[in-house]
Amino acid sequence: EGQFQADQPHGSGSYYFADGSKHQGQWVCGKQHGEGTEEWADGGKYAGQYVNGTKTGEGLFSWRDGSHYDGGFVENRLEGHGEYGWSDGRVFVGQWR
């Protein structure tokens, strides 16, 4: 649901995938681009920036077990400065490559 251009998501909208995941946010030519939130059926969630269909920029990824990563992403990888917190309370703050 949302805006379309040339039969592809373009602008603001929500997309529901066959695997039960969903993405709400900005789209350009059918790819996630700009700010968005993605949720998976297993309880995982990402809120942050996308570039050309990949998690790139700053974002917060949360896992079902309570672990989280808040920081930089490059093409879906943890990269740059960030904080990783485990569900048992341990925290690592530093650089990721």
Side-chain angles (χ1 to χ4, degrees):
E1 58 190 50
Q3 300 168 323
F4 283 80
Q5 179 178 311
D7 293 328
Q8 296 180 333
H10 190 87
S12 297
S14 299
Y15 189 87
Y16 299 86
F17 298 90
D19 66 2
S21 62
K22 68 179 179 178
H23 175 86
Q24 295 176 293
Q26 299 296 309
W27 299 83
V28 173
C29 297
K31 295 182 178 179
Q32 300 128 314
H33 194 87
E35 294 292 323
T37 301
E38 196 161 357
E39 296 180 41
W40 291 270
D42 67 3
K45 181 177 181 178
Y46 172 79
Q49 299 168 330
Y50 289 84
V51 174
N52 203 26
T54 66
K55 296 169 193 68
T56 298
E58 295 296 312
L60 171 63
F61 198 108
S62 303
W63 287 268
R64 184 167 140 183
D65 70 355
S67 299
H68 70 277
Y69 172 79
D70 188 1
F73 288 81
V74 174
E75 295 182 348
N76 297 326
R77 295 183 321 273
L78 311 183
E79 191 166 318
H81 184 77
E83 175 183 303
Y84 188 97
W86 285 267
S87 58
D88 64 6
R90 292 177 294 139
V91 174
F92 172 82
V93 178
Q95 292 296 118
W96 298 82
R97 296 184 202 191

